């Protein structure tokens, strides 16, 4: 059991030990870093490849289709076929594009997505770098991707790209605020910014089982979906409106890099949500890394489920949701966690639910333009009319 | 795309520049080769110029050089989603022109086919509207799941799924077998359950309501003045349905009601279509109960169907119209006594309903223009003819 | 109503469809994909794709008489018929060339309806895709001719009706011929 | 796991997270040199990017160069072991401020397209002011009694300390800044608000 749990840790240790028998110390030191880096560099694209397949399969099943099933058994080789296709496709640069920016954008957008993996605790003792500002690092690094999207949308010299870029930035800035604020309660309770320490703080119980944890989790998850530009917040690349948004003018491997960044960040934000609210790698019976991956993939599955179900918001509604709904709720959540922290026993449950529930209700009432109207339809039969509600 | 920018006359330094974007002719959600020349201020629409004609194929001119019977397959290609309804209108026009009787069974078959077509059209239009709204193909594939069953019936009866070419002057091409009728009964029986599921997925969905309610409001007076017809008109609350107004074919025998909208926005257009499908199901149930064995085509018409060149309607003119799923589909025919129509004109609902596009879009966001277009329900084959 | 309940309801609809796609039958909410090249939906008998010509027994014995009606009535004018002639230039009741441009044909079935000799019918063959539309999709007489057995095979009901009609017509013709032959013997020839 | 003997000090040092044992001095020195080289490289890139900010003719390119400068400064913070500050630098400057700047450039489309002249008649005066500022800075740097290097490096600058300092010693400037920011926000809204024509 212990062996399974620490499988990858032991594997790395074994490798280092073997190296240490023949090679000088400093090579072993460098090798220790290289092994971690290579593991991430292998894991991230592999995750992305199979997430594309998983998404197509899940959405296919939701739509009563089979999904990819031609390349390999159950379409398991489909991502490889896609990869070959992407690599061999012609790379088109628009005539009036800014060639340097057009080239750099897809390169830069992958970097933050990969950097995030450094602080993700995949299992017990399986964090590549245990930074003591892990959460801050995550938020800071993921905000860089906005710049890359800007470069793509501006460098393509296409109006659809430009519109997509402007939408992206508006969305990214707006959703970063409630996202950061929804993390604050966790930091307050765990009294640390390190991802590992936050997981340790959840030994008694996952944060999601508390009122503020649940509210924070929902806010965080919605914002995370928005940060990854996934449905129903996928307005930056809304294919029915602005073709493909910022990556309209990309083809071949550059397009694949945008795709990769999107899916890697899908995994990264799910992993972070698991770390912050769902107890990270903690769980009975199964090895810790398996627990972590299971939880992360469950969240990713919910994202795919969203995609298979929901239409997308409009730009102004998206902004409104962030600023008029999620942000005040996140602020109230910070207050609630303080209340929770200082109140005894049952009282804290009653109190925090008593604050969160009514404030949710009040915010829906205040945002009346987002609440569906009730409509009455007449059914006319020559003279006598009948009405039916909808 | 040209890089022209339109400068605003206002010299206020805080004013933003406008951006002219061409949506289409190659764009995922213009429903074909249609172009909208949109001037944007940020994301808000300042003006919309629809540009049509990319799919113009001389339909009327071709028809004026063919025999009356040979036009029938061409009408399939007008609104390629509802070929049965197109056939119906054209058959009505020619029957009026040549004063041909239609036997009862044929009338029943026609009504059944027309209402099945309405189901096909409305269910897919809602699916496509949701696609325009950004749902990732789920509603459209649920819609197509049901549509496939009806298209299977069309294939079994007429020989083709979409280009049915099924109606003939004085009846229909072939009789419907009892097995096919039984199949239709089964579909009609199951359809309300599907509609319930569809509504559970969509009707109360907050995002759909947010996006659709109070967007693209078409006031009733504008709708009447612009001669809008079909569900778009009825969503604005105007009680006008050719099935009730003209009582063509045998529609007066069935009891059904006309759903009318509340505000005339995109949501009403969506929900009126749902209600219309429920009424169509009612008509289908009554028609399937009422259908009796008999002639499926008038015996007199069989002779000129074998020799289309001998079919020479008397000199005169006729206008036949039906309530096609998109609106009033009318055929205007002038005969000079020769085997070819002297004048043939189609009043296509897609084209006329689209004339209010700019009125509906201005002041809304880009995303709204797309769903307004989707809710008007155009088919380029009919729009450009 | 709590804000968000509609979304959650919709999510359950998709979840239900996700789950049922694994065990339900196609018409009850299961998978409705048919994996095409391996599995096929049985074609409906009345399905019409492209026209073909019927012959009885051997290809020489074809029904077409090159009357040109189908070519005249074809809406997109995709049929080209050349009537055969003997050595003296007198027209024969058979085509020398009969060509249908499948790339123009719009599958309307008009030719089938107007043919007075039950010769041209709509086929079930729809997989005619090819690289060269001029060489592959212009079907000449040899490619168009198919036997009556084939016709009986793909469209049994229509073919049997046609066969019955033709048999009756033939019998009538025989009877008429017999009747026409009889009085010849009995009656004296009329004065010219 | 007993089978795998950890007879190697480096390995055990890494695995058990302890600080390196003295025999590793050479290694650490080597690594330190590497880090030093990296820091100087980052500084050089920062200066190049800073020159780019003021000389590039395309405003969008200048803005991107400024992003480079800010990232470089974050790198310098990292080298000085101010992790928290580096994170905040990236989050606030790159993630928020620069994004807004670029957004503004993109909204005013002409600005982004055109090549904008980077010199004007006030160049001479500006040069004098800049030189004066440089003199002032150098003077301050020279006059300040810097602590010796080794103890300075171990001044803890964790998030905890920063937070406590902000909430106690520097609480007044902290609150004053937030008031100024609010005022700036309201001012921006007032300026940008369109006059509604009747």
């Amino acid at each position: 059991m212990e062996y399974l749990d620490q499988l990858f840790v032991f594997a790395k240790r074994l490798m280092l030990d073997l190296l240490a028998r023949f090679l000088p110390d400093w090579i072993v030191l460098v090798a220790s870093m290289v092994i971690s880096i290579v593991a991430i560099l292998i894991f991230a694209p592999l995750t992305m490849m199979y997430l594309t397949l998983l998404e197509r399969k899940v959405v296919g099943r939701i739509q009563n289709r089979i999904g990819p099933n031609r390349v390999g058994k159950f379409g398991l080789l489909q991502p490889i076929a896609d990869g070959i296709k992407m690599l061999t496709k012609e790379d088109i640069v628009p005539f009036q594009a800014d060639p340097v920016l057009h080239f750099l954008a897809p390169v830069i957008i992958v970097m933050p997505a990969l950097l995030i993996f450094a602080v993700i605790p995949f299992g017990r003792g399986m964090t590549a770098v245990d930074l003591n500002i892990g959460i801050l690092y995550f938020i800071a690094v993921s905000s860089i991707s906005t710049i890359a999207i800007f470069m793509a949308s501006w460098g393509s010299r296409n109006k659809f790209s430009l519109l997509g870029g402007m939408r992206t930035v508006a969305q990214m800035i707006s959703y970063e605020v409630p996202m950061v604020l929804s993390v604050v309660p966790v930091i307050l309770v765990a009294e640390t910014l390190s991802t590992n320490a936050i997981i340790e703080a959840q030994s008694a119980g996952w944060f999601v089982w508390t009122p503020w944890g649940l509210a924070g989790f929902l806010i965080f998850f919605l914002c995370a979906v928005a940060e990854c530009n996934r449905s129903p917040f996928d307005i930056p690349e809304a294919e029915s409106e602005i073709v493909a948004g910022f990556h309209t003018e990309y083809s071949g491997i550059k397009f694949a890099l945008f795709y990769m960044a999107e899916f890697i960040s899908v995994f990264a934000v799910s992993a972070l949500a698991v770390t912050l609210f769902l107890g990270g790698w903690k769980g009975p019976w199964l090895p810790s890394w398996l627990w972590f991956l299971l939880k992360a993939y469950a969240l990713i599955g919910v994202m795919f489920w969203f995609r298979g179900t929901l239409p997308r918001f409009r730009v102004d509604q998206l902004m409104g949701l962030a600023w008029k709904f999620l942000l005040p709720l996140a602020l109230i959540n910070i207050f609630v966690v303080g209340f929770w922290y200082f109140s005894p026993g049952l009282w804290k449950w009653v109190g925090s639910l008593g604050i969160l529930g009514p404030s949710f209700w009040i915010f829906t009432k205040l945002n009346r333009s987002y609440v569906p109207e009730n409509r009455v339809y007449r059914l006319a039969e020559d003279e006598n009319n009948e009405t039916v509600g909808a | 795309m040209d890089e022209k920018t339109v400068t605003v006359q206002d010299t206020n330094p805080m004013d933003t520049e406008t951006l002219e974007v061409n949506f289409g002719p190659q764009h995922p959600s213009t429903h074909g080769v249609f172009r909208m020349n949109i001037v944007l201020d940020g994301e808000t629409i300042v003006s919309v110029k629809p540009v049509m004609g990319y799919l113009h194929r001389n339909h009327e001119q071709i028809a004026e050089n063919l025999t009356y019977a040979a036009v029938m397959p061409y009408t399939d290609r007008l609104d390629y989603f509802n070929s049965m309804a197109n056939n119906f209108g054209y058959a009505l026009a020619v029957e009026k022109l040549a004063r041909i009787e239609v036997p009862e069974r044929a009338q029943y078959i026609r009504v059944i086919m027309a209402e099945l077509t309405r189901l096909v059209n409305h269910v897919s239009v809602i699916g496509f509207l949701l696609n325009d709204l950004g749902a990732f193909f789920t509603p459209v594939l649920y819609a197509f799941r049901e549509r496939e069953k009806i298209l299977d019936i069309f294939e079994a009866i007429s020989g083709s799924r979409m280009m049915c070419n099924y109606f003939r002057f004085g009846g229909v091409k072939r009789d419907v077998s009892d097995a096919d009728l039984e199949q239709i009964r089964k579909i009609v029986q199951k359809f309300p359950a599907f509609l319930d599921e569809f509504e559970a997925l969509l009707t109360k969905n907050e995002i759909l309501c947010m996006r659709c309610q109070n967007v693209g409001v078409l006031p009733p007076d504008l709708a009447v003045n612009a001669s809008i017809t079909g569900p778009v008109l009825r969503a604005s609350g105007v009680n006008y349905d050719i099935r009730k107004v003209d009582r063509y074919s045998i529609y007066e025998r069935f009891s059904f009601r006309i759903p009318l909208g509340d505000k005339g926005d995109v949501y009403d257009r969506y929900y009126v279509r749902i209600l219309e499908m429920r009424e169509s199901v009612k008509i289908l149930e009554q028609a399937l109960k009422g259908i009796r064995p008999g002639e499926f085509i008038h015996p007199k018409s069989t002779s000129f169907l074998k020799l289309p060149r001998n079919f020479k309607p008397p000199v005169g003119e006729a206008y036949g119209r039906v309530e096609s799923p998109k609106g009033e589909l009318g055929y205007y025919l002038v005969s000079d006594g020769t085997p070819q129509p002297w004048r043939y004109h189609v009043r296509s609902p897609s084209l006329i309903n689209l004339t209010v596009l700019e009125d509906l879009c201005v002041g809304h966001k880009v995303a709204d223009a797309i769903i307004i277009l989707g809710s008007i329900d155009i088919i380029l084959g009919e729009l450009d003819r | 109503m709590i804000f968000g309940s509609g979304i959650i309801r919709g999510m359950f609809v998709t979840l239900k469809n996700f789950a049922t796609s694994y065990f339900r039958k196609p018409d009850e909410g299961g998978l409705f994909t048919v994996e095409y090249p391996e599995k096929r939906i049985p074609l409906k008998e009345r399905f019409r794709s492209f026209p073909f010509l019927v012959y009885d027994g051997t290809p020489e014995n074809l029904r077409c008489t090159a009357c040109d009606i189908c070519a005249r009535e074809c809406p997109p004018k995709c049929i080209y018929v050349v009537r055969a002639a003997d050595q003296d230039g007198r027209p024969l009741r058979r085509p020398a060339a009969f060509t249908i441009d499948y790339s123009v044909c719009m599958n309307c079935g008009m030719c089938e309806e107007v043919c007075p000799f039950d010769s041209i019918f709509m086929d079930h063959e729809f997989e005619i895709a090819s690289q060269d539309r001029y060489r592959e999709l212009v079907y000449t007489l040899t490619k168009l001719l198919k036997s009556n057995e084939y016709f009986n095979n793909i469209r049994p009901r229509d073919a049997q009706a046609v066969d019955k009609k033709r048999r009756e017509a033939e019998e009538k013709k025989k009877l008429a011929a017999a009747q026409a032959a009889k009085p010849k013997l009995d009656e004296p020839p009329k004065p010219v | 796991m007993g089978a795998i003997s950890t007879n190697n000090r480096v390995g055990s040092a890494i695995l058990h997270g302890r600080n390196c044992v003295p025999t590793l001095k050479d290694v650490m020195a080597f690594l330190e040199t590497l880090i030093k080289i990296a820091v100087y490289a980052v500084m050089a890139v920062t200066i190049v990017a800073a020159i780019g900010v003021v000389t590039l003719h395309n405003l969008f390119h200048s803005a991107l160069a400024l992003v480079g400068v800010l990232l470089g400064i974050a790198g310098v913070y990292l080298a000085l072991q101010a992790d928290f500050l580096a994170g905040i630098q990236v989050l606030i400057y790159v993630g928020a401020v620069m994004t807004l700047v670029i957004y503004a450039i993109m909204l005013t489309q002409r600005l982004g397209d055109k090549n904008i002249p980077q010199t004007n008649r006030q160049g001479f005066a500006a040069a004098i002011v800049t030189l004066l500022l440089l003199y002032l800075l150098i003077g301050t740097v020279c006059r300040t009694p810097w602590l010796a290097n080794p103890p300075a490096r171990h001044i803890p600058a964790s998030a905890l300390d920063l937070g406590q300092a902000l909430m106690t010693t520097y609480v007044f400037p902290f609150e004053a800044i937030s008031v100024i920011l609010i005022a700036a926000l309201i001012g921006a809204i007032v300026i940008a608000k369109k006059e509604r024509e009747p």
Side-chain angles (χ1 to χ4, degrees), chain A residues 273-286:
Chain A
V274 168
T275 309
L276 288 174
F277 297 101
L278 299 181
W281 39 258
K282 284 200 184 298
W285 307 310
L286 295 174

Side-chain angles (χ1 to χ4, degrees), chain B residues 58-94:
Chain B
N58 251 332
H59 175 72
E60 292 176 3
Q61 197 67 50
I62 288 171
E64 283 162 16
N65 288 302
L66 289 171
T67 59
Y68 283 89
V71 178
M72 190 62 87
Y74 276 101
T75 62
D76 288 340
R77 274 104 182 139
L78 274 178
D79 175 356
Y80 39 78
F81 252 75
N82 324 308
S83 59
M84 291 281 196
N86 301 346
N87 288 177
F88 202 169
Y90 181 63
L92 277 184
V94 175

Side-chain angles (χ1 to χ4, degrees), chain D residues 72-108:
Chain D
I73 291 173
V76 174
Y77 284 152
L78 268 185
L80 295 175
Q81 302 199 337
D83 303 359
F84 185 76
L85 209 57
I88 292 292
Q89 166 89 3
V90 173
L91 178 63
I92 302 292
Y93 280 100
V94 179
V97 174
M98 281 322 292
T99 312
L100 276 180
V101 168
I102 296 175
Y103 194 45
I105 292 171
M106 270 168 69
L107 275 178
T108 46

Side-chain angles (χ1 to χ4, degrees), chain A residues 55-56 59-65 96 156-164 166-167 231-235 238-244 249 259 304-318 321 369-390, chain B residues 1-4 19-24 26-29 40 42-43 130-139 141-142 145 201-215 237-239 244 247 255-265 267-268 271-272 275 279 364-368 370:
Chain A
E55 168 168 45
R56 289 164 73 181
V59 175
R61 283 288 172 174
I62 282 176
Q63 297 166 350
N64 292 349
R65 298 184 287 114
Q96 282 209 316
S156 302
R157 202 55 78 85
N158 176 319
K159 285 173 186 171
F160 290 118
S161 300
L162 198 71
L163 278 174
M166 299 213 275
R167 285 174 169 205
S231 180
F233 305 100
D234 57 343
I235 58 158
E239 79 281 351
S240 66
E241 293 150 28
I242 48 171
V243 189
E249 292 288 359
Y259 216 63
F304 294 161
W305 188 13
F306 277 156
R307 178 141 200 230
T309 312
L310 299 175
R312 81 170 69 81
F313 286 98
R314 202 172 57 206
V315 187
D316 51 333
Q317 291 162 347
L318 193 86
L321 188 75
S369 63
Y370 299 152
V371 180
E373 293 173 7
N374 274 325
R375 292 288 170 88
V376 177
Y377 293 90
R378 278 189 300 144
L379 288 172
E381 189 174 20
D382 299 332
E383 311 308 321
N384 47 342
N385 289 340
E386 216 178 303
T387 53
V388 64
Chain B
M1 278 196 340
D2 56 356
E3 285 284 328
K4 202 174 76 185
L19 180 72
E20 189 177 329
V21 187
N22 279 322
F23 280 76
Q26 287 108 8
H27 187 274
S29 39
L40 291 174
E43 285 257 352
L130 262 292
N131 244 19
D132 291 345
L133 278 167
F136 187 62
F137 287 96
T138 305
L141 280 163
Y142 290 172
R145 194 178 65 198
L201 178 63
L202 304 175
T203 301
K204 289 278 178 188
N205 188 313
E206 275 82 1
I207 300 177
L208 184 116
C209 293
M210 266 192 225
R211 287 291 306 272
C212 294
Q213 287 183 344
N214 301 317
V215 167
V238 182
N239 186 1
K244 289 281 188 194
R247 297 179 177 280
S255 92
F256 64 100
R257 295 167 303 176
I258 308 299
L260 298 177
D262 193 2
K263 287 199 171 162
D265 54 8
Y267 188 80
D268 279 357
Y271 202 69
V272 159
L275 290 175
E279 296 302 315
H364 288 299
K365 301 273 184 284
V366 184
D368 295 332
I370 303 292

Side-chain angles (χ1 to χ4, degrees), chain D residues 124-145:
Chain D
F124 184 68
I128 289 175
V129 172
T130 317
L131 283 175
L132 280 175
L133 187 68
L134 191 67
Y135 172 76
L136 211 73
L137 279 174
I138 290 173
T140 318
V141 167
C142 291
R143 241 170 276 155
T144 310

